[in-house]
Amino acid sequence: MVRKIGVLTSGGDAPGMNSAIRAVTRIALNNGVEVVGVHNGYKGLLEGTFEAMDRHSVSDIQDRGGTKLGSARLPEFREEAIQNECIKNMKREGIEALVVIGGDGSYRGALALTQKGINCIGLPGTIDNDIPGTDFTIGFDTALRTCVENVDKLRDTSSSHHRCSLVEVMGNRCGDLALYTAIACGAEMVISPETGYNELETLERLRYLSDAVRKNHALVIISEKICDVNALAKKVSLNTNFSGRATVLGHIQRGGTPTATDRMLASRMGEKAVDLLMEGIGGHCVGIIDNEITSMPIDEALGRPKKSRKHLYRLFDRLV
Ligand code: ATP
């Protein structure tokens, strides 16, 4: 039976991570398992920045965005010598197992530690929803709320001015944030890794919306890393009857008080992580599939294709 576990957050932060830390801490303590908070991801394992957690350590944190434990990237953690150094520090502290909250890079670190004898469980924490092995990640719903609130505001002003608003949202090569925002805000177009991008076709479509459908505004939601939205806005102004305006939502998508959905998801996933470690299981990641909390080996999850959103792209097309 595991006596002491660690918990850390790694990679980009995401709203809801604090609920996961809270769930892991409270549920472990209530089962007689000691908990150590590791500051700043794998960097904290290397530097030995550990914090003994009691139930008060995680009081009043669920409504706060970001992560109470801090997050960092430590590229050297891919090296075996650094992993061994971290394991030495963990053993010195009495940490026998670990919950890692982060993205797929963090999962790979968790797998490496498990293969060296420290059971680790990965929880998907990122606003991008780009982690395989789960339908949704912790932070996605809050980022979606931020996108919807801001795009709604842009819609108000763009309809008054015969404008085409081109809005870039995050997603790191996953189109979910763009697709969900587009459906929820009633956008005219969505451009994502799944739809592909063709500049001429985009301009043609906007001309059709302006001249044939006689729309007085158009909203286009675009995933990051696809095109230069500022350049595209200029081309829209030059080549269509809309005045093109670009907005890059940027890092505001990463902040804000977590939604109830993210807090619930993080709490349920945190519970599962502790249960798995208490059963002596490591090298797994937790997910939510068809609204059931699940777990599977990390290497299996990383080899899986991302969940298809074909039905939602079809829905988008039927709503335009
Ligand atoms: P996100 O990309 O959503 O912000 P992530 O967890 O994918 O989150 P990464 O920067 O890829 O972010 O990884 C976070 C950390 O995990 C890295 O800084 C490194 O310490 C560790 N890591 C990443 N890849 C590996 C790997 N192949 N082996 C061991 N550790 C890794």
Side-chain angles (χ1 to χ4, degrees):
M1 163 80 182
V2 65
R3 285 160 300 184
K4 198 187 240 193
I5 64 169
V7 55
L8 61 79
T9 48
S10 167
D13 67 336
M17 281 182 162
N18 281 331
S19 291
I21 296 167
R22 175 178 180 271
V24 168
T25 302
R26 291 266 168 99
I27 292 166
L29 291 174
N30 287 334
N31 280 284
V33 178
E34 285 181 67
V35 182
V36 174
V38 180
H39 289 252
N40 305 321
Y42 293 120
K43 199 159 172 257
L45 287 184
L46 188 62
E47 294 172 354
T49 42
F50 300 132
E51 173 188 349
M53 306 282 269
D54 61 25
R55 54 172 295 106
H56 304 296
S57 312
V58 290
S59 300
D60 294 330
I61 62 169
Q62 284 212 86
D63 58 343
R64 300 217 312 260
T67 157
K68 174 200 156 59
L69 291 173
S71 189
R73 296 187 202 270
L74 179 71
E76 309 90 280
F77 194 69
R78 288 177 181 81
E79 296 163 26
E80 232 186 309
I82 300 290
Q83 293 166 9
N84 291 340
E85 192 65 29
C86 291
I87 290 174
K88 242 195 315 185
N89 290 342
M90 289 169 83
K91 288 204 165 140
R92 197 177 304 125
E93 187 69 20
I95 301 171
E96 298 168 344
L98 185 68
V99 178
V100 172
I101 308 161
D104 54 352
S106 304
Y107 277 15
R108 288 193 175 88
L111 190 56
L113 288 180
T114 304
Q115 284 161 352
K116 287 180 170 290
I118 304 273
N119 276 346
C120 293
I121 300 295
L123 298 192
T126 168
I127 66 158
D128 294 323
N129 217 36
D130 62 341
I131 304 180
T134 186
D135 294 348
F136 294 103
T137 56
I138 298 165
F140 173 72
D141 189 66
T142 305
L144 177 61
R145 182 195 60 195
T146 301
C147 290
V148 168
E149 278 175 8
N150 285 284
V151 171
D152 282 349
K153 288 175 189 158
L154 284 169
R155 169 179 281 282
D156 290 344
T157 161
S158 64
S159 32
S160 319
H161 293 278
H162 204 73
R163 250 180 216 157
C164 169
S165 271
L166 302 132
V167 187
E168 181 186 290
V169 301
M170 285 185 167
N172 188 31
R173 303 185 201 289
C174 168
D176 287 359
L177 206 46
L179 172 64
Y180 280 64
T181 303
I183 292 174
C185 295
E188 275 64 38
M189 288 183 78
V190 57
I191 298 172
S192 71
E194 290 82 3
T195 64
Y197 172 59
N198 179 311
E199 186 182 286
L200 291 178
E201 280 173 16
T202 302
L203 295 171
E204 183 64 46
R205 172 83 182 145
L206 289 172
R207 274 194 296 273
Y208 169 77
L209 290 170
S210 169
D211 305 346
V213 187
R214 309 201 75 72
K215 290 196 75 83
N216 71 346
H217 70 274
L219 195 53
V220 184
I221 310 295
I222 308 176
S223 292
E224 64 181 349
K225 302 179 185 174
I226 288 194
C227 68
D228 177 340
V229 283
N230 289 298
L232 180 60
K234 284 191 189 125
K235 289 188 180 160
V236 168
S237 296
L238 283 173
N239 295 289
T240 78
N241 285 319
F242 287 122
S243 148
R245 292 295 155 94
T247 304
V248 177
L249 289 185
H251 274 80
I252 57 166
Q253 293 164 92
R254 292 262 274 257
T257 182
T259 61
T261 299
D262 271 332
R263 297 181 203 190
M264 283 293 300
L265 181 64
S267 302
R268 293 174 74 194
M269 288 182 164
E271 175 187 42
K272 182 74 176 179
V274 174
D275 287 347
L276 289 168
L277 290 180
M278 288 196 312
E279 283 169 41
I281 294 171
H284 277 223
C285 56
V286 176
I288 184 163
I289 298 177
D290 297 333
N291 207 28
E292 292 289 329
I293 298 295
T294 56
S295 73
M296 67 178 81
I298 289 175
D299 43 10
E300 185 188 324
L302 292 176
R304 279 195 170 199
K306 228 187 60 62
K307 187 174 172 90
S308 166
R309 303 294 188 200
K310 260 194 189 135
H311 60 298
L312 291 179
Y313 281 102
R314 183 161 171 268
L315 170 62
F316 176 81
D317 287 340
R318 298 178 83 190
L319 288 168
V320 174

